[in-house]
Amino acid sequence: MAKRPPPPSDSQPDLFAASFADIPIRDQRDTMERPFFSLAKKPRHAPIEYQVGDVWVEVSANPKFGMATIWDADILIWASTQVTEALDRELKPSRTIHFHPYNLLKAIRRETGGEHYRRLRAALDRLTHTAVRTNIRGHGKKKIASFHWLESWTEVIDEATGETTGMTMTLPDWLYDGVLMRGGVLTIHEDYFLLTGGIERWLYRVARKHAGQQELGWSFTMRQLFEKSGSTARFSDFAIDVRKAVEGNALPEYSMAIHKNDEGEEVVNFVRRSQLPVEDPNFESPRYSRRRLAGASGRKSKRFSNIEP
């Protein structure tokens, strides 16, 4: 199954006291297409080394905790949403975010409870100990950034009950600055959190970054996708997984298709479902425009006037 059902009582409490329909979910665009995370649920310790042209990314796993996964990245998406929503509401954002784990898990459409709190702590550890080096956003490609996905995280536990009363996480400068910069975030569909496969999740982020609202969508050869993914699988196995994802066609907002080019290479095309012909079985009507830019007082946020819908 490419997409799991939403958890019981699926809603988003206490995230600025709003529901999914009220707050757009934002993803930092520089993290969406390149191999920053493991796509496998099995712990990964092998490093990621990626270079295309002058752009390169290196990701190193911690021997104890392993590499941060694309599911762990849900926490960073949630944090990016908090920062941009604060700015939309003309509040002062911060790299350090205070939260209760219940609210975070509900917001990323996970189950709540003891086992899921344990998994959240493990994800925070992987994010804190995964090391990243890249020249993305380096002026002239000579500036190198070295960081961990989280600088730190804390948890406060009630000694009498043993229950968590609150947590904090602190974002690295590279991610925080990327969220704040103009055009630094893209809205994503809330059903992204329901995708079960690492390949499907990564393909959605690639589609959202490149295909956007373009009438003809965007295409990559299978080899290009493989090189971008950072997958440890053999190319043939990666291609099988992508073909399965295309056959399942379960990505929110985007439809996928495969054809061969003149050189006989497989090409994967992503196109927004609302751009397909109405008679196409994969067509979906454009979504109702959610509240995206109104501040708490109803004023339009100038800071994010260039966020893509």
Side-chain angles (χ1 to χ4, degrees):
M1 180 182 293
K3 185 187 293 184
R4 62 177 171 83
S9 304
D10 185 27
S11 62
Q12 185 169 342
D14 302 327
L15 180 61
F16 292 103
S19 67
F20 280 119
D22 298 316
I23 292 180
I25 302 163
R26 278 95 170 224
D27 200 351
Q28 206 289 311
R29 65 187 305 154
D30 289 328
T31 68
M32 294 176 72
E33 65 159 321
R34 295 188 173 93
F36 280 110
F37 304 98
S38 170
L39 303 184
K41 292 183 178 179
K42 182 180 178 180
R44 173 171 176 166
H45 292 90
I48 293 174
E49 296 179 346
Y50 163 89
Q51 181 164 359
V52 172
D54 294 330
V55 176
W56 55 268
V57 173
E58 297 175 356
V59 185
S60 301
N62 178 276
K64 179 178 179 179
F65 300 106
M67 184 179 292
T69 71
I70 199 164
W71 294 272
D72 300 338
D74 290 357
I75 296 169
L76 303 181
I77 294 172
W78 178 85
S80 299
T81 299
Q82 297 299 293
V83 171
T84 52
E85 185 64 18
L87 285 165
D88 267 5
R89 291 170 179 260
E90 300 178 355
L91 303 174
K92 184 178 180 180
S94 171
R95 289 197 304 123
T96 298
I97 300 172
H98 299 258
F99 63 98
H100 192 281
Y102 176 88
N103 292 338
L104 188 155
L105 290 170
K106 292 290 286 184
I108 61 176
R109 309 184 78 178
R110 305 272 183 94
E111 298 280 0
T112 58
E115 173 62 19
H116 299 283
Y117 283 20
R118 185 192 67 77
R119 293 178 183 177
L120 173 60
R121 295 184 191 102
L124 290 168
D125 276 336
R126 284 189 293 272
L127 290 166
T128 304
H129 293 281
T130 295
V132 183
R133 295 180 72 249
T134 184
N135 67 345
I136 293 176
R137 270 189 264 133
H139 300 294
K141 307 304 178 190
K142 294 182 179 179
K143 183 178 180 181
I144 297 172
S146 181
F147 59 92
H148 295 81
W149 285 119
L150 291 178
E151 284 195 2
S152 63
W153 70 275
T154 66
E155 181 177 16
V156 178
I157 299 176
D158 187 308
E159 292 185 358
T161 64
E163 294 182 355
T164 300
T165 59
M167 303 179 84
T168 69
M169 70 174 87
T170 300
L171 303 179
D173 286 334
W174 187 88
L175 179 61
Y176 185 70
D177 292 345
V179 172
L180 294 182
M181 72 182 188
R182 291 186 64 84
V185 293
L186 293 174
T187 58
I188 66 171
H189 197 289
E190 62 271 18
D191 284 354
Y192 166 79
F193 294 127
L194 302 181
L195 293 173
T196 58
I199 289 290
E200 288 92 343
R201 281 171 159 254
W202 182 75
L203 288 172
Y204 171 81
R205 297 176 92 200
V206 169
R208 181 64 189 92
K209 169 75 181 292
H210 288 282
Q213 300 277 4
Q214 297 186 66
E215 184 177 352
L216 298 179
W218 196 272
S219 296
F220 291 98
T221 66
M222 190 71 76
R223 179 64 65 176
Q224 287 174 324
L225 286 175
F226 178 66
E227 292 172 352
K228 282 179 171 289
S229 72
S231 173
T232 57
R234 295 180 303 176
F235 173 68
S236 58
D237 292 334
F238 173 85
I240 289 173
D241 288 339
V242 172
R243 292 185 202 112
K244 288 180 180 178
V246 172
E247 182 179 359
N249 208 12
L251 299 191
E253 299 182 286
Y254 295 93
S255 180
M256 295 184 292
I258 293 179
H259 66 274
K260 289 192 175 182
N261 61 19
D262 294 339
E263 288 74 37
E265 298 175 296
E266 286 185 301
V267 176
V268 183
N269 177 253
F270 304 89
V271 63
R272 204 171 185 94
R273 296 179 186 273
S274 60
Q275 300 284 5
L276 295 170
V278 176
E279 62 272 13
D280 191 305
N282 294 311
F283 169 83
E284 290 180 1
S285 298
R287 300 182 72 205
Y288 176 76
S289 180
R290 297 179 293 170
R291 196 239 12 112
R292 294 169 39 248
L293 302 172
S297 63
R299 294 188 297 270
K300 187 174 182 179
S301 169
K302 296 179 180 178
R303 172 63 187 76
F304 290 100
S305 60
N306 65 329
I307 293 177
E308 293 186 24

